[in-house]
Amino acid sequence: MNAPTLPGLAPAEPAAHDTKPTKPPRPGSRAARMMLPRSADVLKDLATDYGVCLRPISMRRTDLDTGQTEVIDLPCGATREDKCLPCARRNRRLRQAQIREGWHRADEPLPGPEPAADDQRSMIVMRAHLEFERDKAARDASWGEVADLDEAIRELEEAITTEGLRGRVAPPHHGPDDEEPETGPRRKRSTRRRQDAVELPRRKVEPRTVGKVYTAPDGSTYQPSMWLTLTLGSYGPVREDGTPLNPGRYDYRRAAWDAVHFPRLLDRFWQNLRRCEGWNVQYAGCVEPQRRLAPHAHFAIRGTISRDVLRTVAAATYHQVWWPSVDVQRYSVDRPPVWNEQAKSWVDPDTRVPLATWDEALDAIDEEPDTEPVHVVRFGNQVDARGVMPGTEDAERTLRYITKYITKHAADCHPSGTGRQRAHLERLWQQLQITPCTDRCANWLLYGVQPKQATGKLRPGRCKGKVHQRSTLGIGGRRILISRDWSGKTLSDHKADAREWVRALLGVTTDLAGTDADPDAAGPAPLRHAWEMAHPTDRDVPPLAHRLLRSISERARWRSQLLAAKDRAAAGDSPNLSAIGTQTTTNGGARHSG
């Protein structure tokens, strides 16, 4: 006999077969309250939508004439989304503008220095006379006169810099009592190419950065550019999610070494490509990890290059690491060598015998005629390249693809959603923790070698280098790689261009940062303000929520005014909104008078 089911306690159907709508929680219950949106989250979402920095830096500005102070919020300038999403997006747009401006240029970005004026040439001649007199006084051992001439040379070089000449005319002199830096003999390695590397033609590089212009049958001309992807070789078969089929046979050691030295391999590639092509090839790109967590690079190239040439140069490019051998790990992280304070050296924990110094380890390599490099980095067979026409949707789509992951940490580009992916990342990170990153890395102690300039503070397996961090996956250097002559501008120049565009659109004549220097005045503007860091606990610094609210309101006003100015510009009217510039700050953030 079955017991009757009490009313309201009937067994619920499984979730997979439940087709009835979920009953809303009772009004006033805790579940109903938890479903309400949080005001703090809405504030941050609105700040993100309006591009307001979530972690503004408060600076106190004091007017030196009136003594009035005001607190101004400056953006934190973060480049990662996990720190500040609005600032990271702003930096991403800035990088996209930089790449876009230099990708399809038809003229040289840097025309070259202007000829020197007569006054500048006369100062160099005077510097030559002082150098002649100093050499004569040094040969006569007139050290008092030498000291006077050194002081005159220093003052003259300061005047040369003030006159508008770049760089130093000549290196500084060392006096008889000055301690010259200790520099040992430079180690020389053979520059002969490896026997297993492809030979490349070597041409004299022409001083041009613009690619070839093509002529169509109808007489029109066009100047395409390229998009290139470079990857490393295979370390073992992997699945679609990037994890190895057989983790025991996956070469994690080579993967770690390749990741650490991947930037040098890229530098060698561009050097070989320029020598092979015979002109100064310009590039802009980003380094990011693949799904298998190995780094690869996407580049925008100005001009066109044959795909066969790109593949040949990639196959012929390599980087040799001439470091001590790491075939045998003599010590572990739990039982490393110990520091001998009397001998100022690392010694074996059992025998107390000092470990080989860095110079001794390199001398042992030089003495062996058949010594091979400890590691050789090469590209893989996969080299993707295609042409891109300027002004097309394909160009914009490729630009977004190149900068897709620049706001994320390397380990966050491909989230580890499964246990197999997390285990793969963990094994790679464990290998990176014991891989030496530089000649001063503490991990050399694990292989019986004292690093360069060793001290007792070193902790093997716990080096603070970026390549050993879990978030970098061995990509410890710069992830944005842009050649020197790409756009002829720095990031500060591109920021200034953006401000000039806004001023021209709004008809603003004053500076957006609120400065009131006279542009027609001769000489540098007088210093009118004093700046200092304002701490959140200061009485004149409002709470962060108040500052974010004011910044959102200010940004909303700017956005409406900017859209109105765009509409008037499209209609052909001349905007005259010069009053806006008096309320503009560097952050788009709040001001607070104290």
Side-chain angles (χ1 to χ4, degrees):
M1 179 177 180
N2 296 330
T5 304
L6 297 177
L9 296 180
E13 296 291 335
H17 304 285
D18 190 5
T19 57
K20 298 180 180 180
T22 304
K23 184 178 179 181
R26 178 181 59 84
S29 64
R30 183 177 184 276
R33 293 195 304 270
M34 295 301 294
M35 292 182 64
L36 297 176
R38 298 177 60 212
S39 301
D41 296 338
V42 177
L43 176 62
K44 291 184 178 181
D45 293 341
L46 286 174
T48 301
D49 294 339
Y50 282 95
V52 176
C53 177
L54 300 177
R55 304 180 355 177
I57 301 174
S58 299
M59 298 292 295
R60 185 180 294 106
R61 190 177 73 171
T62 304
D63 193 318
L64 300 180
D65 296 335
T66 64
Q68 182 180 6
T69 63
E70 56 182 350
V71 176
I72 300 178
D73 284 344
L74 301 180
C76 65
T79 59
R80 297 291 179 263
E81 293 180 356
D82 56 347
K83 294 183 178 180
C84 182
L85 182 58
C87 287
R89 289 178 176 176
R90 188 180 302 113
N91 280 283
R92 181 172 182 262
R93 290 193 298 268
L94 186 64
R95 286 295 188 182
Q96 288 178 345
Q98 184 182 24
I99 297 176
R100 185 184 296 108
E101 183 170 341
W103 195 1
H104 305 286
R105 288 185 69 102
D107 59 337
E108 297 293 340
L110 297 176
E114 299 178 354
D118 294 338
D119 295 342
Q120 296 171 340
R121 295 171 60 89
S122 300
M123 298 179 75
I124 299 298
V125 173
M126 186 182 301
R127 174 68 176 85
H129 291 325
L130 291 178
E131 186 67 23
F132 178 84
E133 295 297 334
R134 186 192 186 284
D135 181 69
K136 180 180 178 182
R139 283 188 279 107
D140 296 340
S142 301
W143 303 118
E145 184 179 355
V146 168
D148 295 339
L149 289 172
D150 286 341
E151 181 64 21
I153 289 175
R154 186 187 62 81
E155 295 178 356
L156 181 58
E157 288 188 346
E158 291 180 356
I160 290 174
T161 303
T162 306
E163 191 65 21
L165 291 177
R166 289 187 293 117
R168 184 185 293 272
V169 180
H173 288 283
H174 295 284
D177 299 332
D178 296 340
E179 295 183 2
E180 297 186 4
E182 297 181 0
T183 56
R186 182 179 179 183
R187 298 182 183 274
K188 297 182 180 179
R189 302 292 182 187
S190 175
T191 58
R192 188 178 63 178
R193 292 185 58 81
R194 295 177 60 92
Q195 298 296 325
D196 55 355
V198 181
E199 291 293 336
L200 292 173
R202 188 184 182 97
R203 300 185 180 94
K204 184 178 180 180
V205 180
E206 300 178 8
R208 65 178 179 91
T209 65
V210 179
K212 182 180 178 181
V213 178
Y214 296 89
T215 304
D218 58 355
S220 60
T221 59
Y222 59 98
Q223 192 171 5
S225 293
M226 297 196 71
W227 172 75
L228 174 68
T229 299
L230 297 171
T231 62
L232 292 170
S234 174
Y235 310 113
V238 296
R239 298 182 176 89
E240 293 183 357
D241 59 355
T243 59
L245 290 174
N246 190 343
R249 296 185 178 181
Y250 194 81
D251 197 347
Y252 283 100
R253 177 189 177 279
R254 189 161 66 90
W257 278 80
D258 284 357
V260 171
H261 299 279
F262 187 62
R264 293 184 177 273
L265 182 65
L266 291 176
D267 293 340
R268 183 69 64 182
F269 171 81
W270 294 113
Q271 183 183 39
N272 291 341
L273 183 62
R274 287 168 176 170
R275 291 176 177 177
C276 182
E277 280 292 296
W279 57 286
N280 191 6
V281 181
Q282 296 299 301
Y283 60 89
C286 175
V287 178
E288 62 187 36
Q290 296 175 292
R291 287 189 177 274
R292 57 174 180 153
L293 305 183
H296 69 157
H298 303 293
F299 288 103
I301 303 178
R302 185 188 305 160
T304 56
I305 302 173
S306 171
R307 292 180 177 84
D308 293 336
V309 172
L310 292 173
R311 296 189 182 98
T312 302
V313 173
T317 300
Y318 60 89
H319 172 66
Q320 300 182 118
V321 184
W322 291 98
W323 281 351
S325 176
V326 292
D327 294 338
V328 179
Q329 183 177 338
R330 301 182 180 180
Y331 306 96
S332 64
V333 177
D334 299 331
R335 195 172 184 277
V338 296
W339 174 256
N340 189 329
E341 187 63 31
Q342 288 75 19
K344 300 295 181 181
S345 174
W346 287 88
V347 299
D348 186 276
D350 298 328
T351 62
R352 300 296 172 176
V353 176
L355 306 183
T357 64
W358 182 257
D359 291 334
E360 292 173 352
L362 294 184
D363 290 341
I365 297 176
D366 296 338
E367 292 175 358
E368 293 292 335
D370 299 331
T371 301
E372 293 292 331
V374 66
H375 187 71
V376 180
V377 193
R378 299 178 184 273
F379 289 112
N381 297 327
Q382 184 178 358
V383 178
D384 297 332
R386 59 181 175 84
V388 180
M389 292 298 297
T392 61
E393 177 59 29
D394 186 26
E396 288 299 318
R397 183 170 55 253
T398 305
L399 180 61
R400 292 191 298 268
Y401 183 77
I402 293 175
T403 58
K404 181 179 180 181
Y405 294 116
I406 65 174
T407 60
K408 298 179 180 294
H409 284 290
D412 298 334
C413 294
H414 305 287
S416 301
T418 63
R420 191 167 55 213
Q421 290 176 326
R422 288 189 290 268
H424 176 53
L425 190 151
E426 183 72 20
R427 286 189 292 266
L428 178 60
W429 180 53
Q430 293 294 337
Q431 184 63 41
L432 285 169
Q433 284 186 305
I434 61 174
T435 301
C437 57
T438 63
D439 53 2
R440 301 183 182 183
C441 182
N443 291 340
W444 284 113
L445 298 174
L446 301 176
Y447 303 97
V449 177
Q450 299 188 61
K452 195 174 183 179
Q453 299 181 1
T455 63
K457 298 181 180 180
L458 299 178
R459 296 294 178 267
R462 297 177 178 87
C463 179
K464 296 182 179 180
K466 290 185 177 180
V467 300
H468 305 294
Q469 298 177 6
R470 189 188 184 95
S471 60
T472 62
L473 298 180
I475 310 174
R478 294 178 298 110
R479 292 180 57 192
I480 305 295
L481 305 176
I482 298 180
S483 55
R484 187 181 300 273
D485 298 334
W486 178 255
S487 63
K489 301 177 183 178
T490 61
L491 285 181
S492 299
D493 298 333
H494 288 283
K495 292 180 182 178
D497 291 344
R499 289 193 293 267
E500 290 292 338
W501 178 83
V502 174
R503 280 198 291 263
L505 183 64
L506 298 178
V508 176
T509 57
T510 57
D511 187 75
L512 291 178
T515 59
D516 45 6
D518 185 6
D520 299 330
L527 184 63
R528 289 193 51 190
H529 300 94
W531 295 81
E532 63 177 345
M533 183 73 70
H535 299 282
T537 56
D538 294 345
R539 298 185 61 182
D540 58 341
V541 179
L544 177 61
H546 293 176
R547 291 147 55 196
L548 291 180
L549 287 171
R550 286 199 297 266
S551 298
I552 291 174
S553 175
E554 193 172 20
R555 279 298 178 107
R557 297 169 187 266
W558 292 355
R559 180 175 296 183
S560 61
Q561 292 168 348
L562 185 61
L563 292 176
K566 286 183 177 180
D567 295 338
R568 287 192 295 270
D573 298 336
S574 298
N576 187 11
L577 303 174
S578 59
I580 300 175
T582 59
Q583 300 296 329
T584 309
T585 59
T586 306
N587 174 26
R591 290 187 178 190
H592 178 71
S593 299

